[in-house]
Amino acid sequence: MAQWTSAVGAAQLARLLTSQQDRPAGPGTRRPPAYRALADGIRLLVLEGRVPVAARLPAERELALALAVSRTTVAAAYEALRGEGFLESRRGAGSWTAVPAGNPIPARGLEPLPPEALGSMIDLGCASLPAPEPWLTRAVQGALEELPPYAHTHGDYPAGLPALRSMIAERYTARGIPTMPEQIMVTTGAMGAIDAICHLFGGRGERIAVESPSYANILQLMREAGARLVPVAMAEGLSGWDMDRWRQVLREAAPRIAYVVADFHNPTGALADEDQRRRLVDAARSAGTVLVADETMSELWLDEDVRDGMPRPVCGFDPAGSTVITVGSASKAFWAGMRIGWVRAAPDVIRSLVAARAYADLGTPVLEQLAVNWLFSTGGWEQAVELRRAQARENRDALVAAVRRELPDWEFEVPRGGLTLWVRAGGLSGSRLAEAGERTGVRVPSGPRFGVDGAFEGYLRLPFTVGGAVADEAASRLAAAARLVEAGATGAAESPRTFVA
């Protein structure tokens, strides 16, 4: 019986390995033997989660042809990986990836570290801030006061609590987009919303156009749903969306869905202007593509002059919801532990999404819905989000200053909102920096997690989740990781000291 649960083709593995090229070696620098470089590349892909554990690797001859190396090189690399515990083999079943005993299974998304690991590790993997107190406590207390009438019901509300659906509809109407409660479905976070949309519109094998780069967890969700991702390259810096490129992809690839984050894009922080939004909606309508607009960052403008110049929502160019499906969430603007999201779409789309919930999660927790409704109805939401903006702004400025001081060769543009900084890492491999960071005490996701097939190897995403002395220490540890990568170091580095802010 085979021990592998998936397979990686030779061409796919070759693309992933090719994307890991480091900067050219300097004079006197010793390059590792070809087999060692290949083994290290595969090990990095496993540790990054971009090649899953228990994935069958190509036969030695197939991979040798794809990489244009000798079969002996591949055989030696596989043997080295077996000796290190990253590969298992059995005659007749092939070879499949593994992790050595005692190593944690690598995450394929951007899961936060467990609390017990935070004493010695600075976590820059998850773009989430602590709850904006006292508003979380007040919201839960308000929800408990409203709970008794609902406790006498079955508690299942597949479309969401009527009061919360009405409140969300009113908030869209106040933004200039007339909306009925029948156009709203409450979900378990934005991820739950997009998962439901993908299952309704994007069956296995369907094409989905995505920004390149895009949000790593959404890309993984779509891959695991069996979608064929069609990347559309973002323009350089914060200029964002290349509309000629988008129109060409939508016309030629005819994707069933297109997914965009037009408001303080994750990971780049770019903000689409009104003309880009209008043209994107027009192009999607012409192509018959469902345009999914993720608004989870829309309220996180950080610079005061941005507030008055915020463009209309993407759905403002398609108010009836025939082309645009909007996804919102309390998780980024308020707190990640508040797993409340919503979908705004045409009533018939909402009915289809609601009907499909019978085979998914049935509905969203009532108490959390009541808490968000309390925030919306009392003005607590606006005050909590203002606190969140202040936290993110302070953290952004501290992190930017620290990185510029410790890593002056790294390049980035400072976003005007959102929670993330997209950094070109001075010619170094993002995957190798992420691995070295684990040894110097800072956890950071590499650029390829946000791309398709190994793109963005030279990038890292740094979230605005730490500030002050912790931001300084994080940048110092990143600089130490960069020195390890530049030196070609492997193996264990000195243990990071416990750091408590």
Side-chain angles (χ1 to χ4, degrees), residues 270-495:
L271 175 66
D273 61 33
E274 289 219 0
D275 182 61
Q276 289 171 324
R277 295 167 190 241
R278 179 185 298 105
R279 292 174 64 191
L280 185 57
V281 172
D282 290 344
R285 185 181 293 116
S286 297
T289 297
V290 174
L291 181 61
V292 179
D294 186 336
E295 286 191 335
T296 55
M297 298 283 191
S298 64
E299 296 189 62
L300 290 177
W301 47 264
L302 303 183
D303 296 335
E304 289 296 329
D305 60 328
V306 177
R307 174 180 56 183
D308 297 331
M310 281 292 291
R312 279 183 290 168
V314 175
C315 61
F317 301 96
D318 179 50
S322 59
T323 296
V324 178
I325 297 179
T326 302
V327 172
S329 172
S331 297
K332 294 297 185 185
F334 186 75
W335 183 48
M338 187 68 77
R339 304 305 305 159
I340 297 294
W342 52 86
V343 177
R344 182 197 180 276
D348 62 317
V349 172
I350 295 298
R351 286 193 293 271
S352 297
L353 288 170
V354 170
R357 290 192 91 166
Y359 311 102
D361 62 359
L362 294 177
T364 304
V366 169
L367 189 63
E368 292 184 29
Q369 292 188 71
L370 289 172
V372 172
N373 192 59
W374 183 92
L375 288 165
F376 285 157
S377 61
T378 62
W381 177 267
E382 284 70 25
Q383 295 183 66
V385 173
E386 183 54 44
L387 178 59
R388 169 66 75 240
R389 291 190 194 105
Q391 291 173 320
R393 185 185 305 116
E394 182 178 337
N395 288 354
R396 177 196 64 180
D397 296 346
L399 186 64
V400 164
V403 172
R404 282 177 171 164
R405 181 179 61 253
E406 297 286 344
L407 295 149
D409 292 339
W410 288 18
E411 303 170 48
F412 54 85
E413 291 190 39
V414 181
R416 312 296 303 281
L419 290 172
T420 57
L421 192 68
W422 185 237
V423 179
R424 183 184 283 117
L428 299 178
S429 159
S431 296
R432 296 180 190 279
L433 281 166
E435 183 191 29
E438 295 284 343
R439 304 201 300 277
T440 62
V442 58
R443 179 176 182 258
V444 60
S446 67
R449 287 179 176 266
F450 304 88
V452 177
D453 281 343
F456 308 109
E457 182 59 55
Y459 287 80
L460 296 172
R461 189 195 75 171
L462 306 180
F464 310 145
T465 52
V466 297
V470 186
D472 292 338
E473 179 68 12
S476 177
R477 294 183 185 188
L478 281 172
R483 288 192 293 272
L484 286 178
V485 174
E486 288 175 328
T490 58
E494 62 180 84
S495 299

Side-chain angles (χ1 to χ4, degrees), residues 56-76:
R56 186 179 187 274
L57 295 187
E60 294 170 2
R61 188 185 302 277
E62 293 174 4
L63 186 57
L65 287 171
L67 293 173
V69 299
S70 71
R71 183 177 177 182
T72 302
T73 296
V74 178

Side-chain angles (χ1 to χ4, degrees), residues 184-269:
I184 301 296
M185 180 177 82
V186 181
T187 63
T188 307
M191 292 289 288
I194 293 168
D195 182 57
I197 293 166
C198 287
H199 279 89
L200 180 62
F201 290 100
R204 184 164 293 276
E206 289 280 4
R207 294 185 181 92
I208 300 180
V210 294
E211 297 145 329
S212 183
S214 187
Y215 178 38
N217 286 345
I218 292 295
L219 295 180
Q220 191 59 34
L221 181 155
M222 292 172 175
R223 290 186 188 103
E224 293 184 359
R228 297 163 60 190
L229 300 184
V230 182
V232 186
M234 298 280 286
E236 284 294 317
L238 297 179
S239 55
W241 291 259
D242 183 328
M243 298 319 304
D244 291 336
R245 227 176 249 161
W246 268 102
R247 187 172 291 278
Q248 179 183 4
V249 168
L250 293 179
R251 181 179 64 247
E252 295 179 358
R256 187 70 182 94
I257 300 173
Y259 169 77
V260 297
V261 185
D263 299 287
F264 308 119
H265 175 259
N266 187 352
T268 68

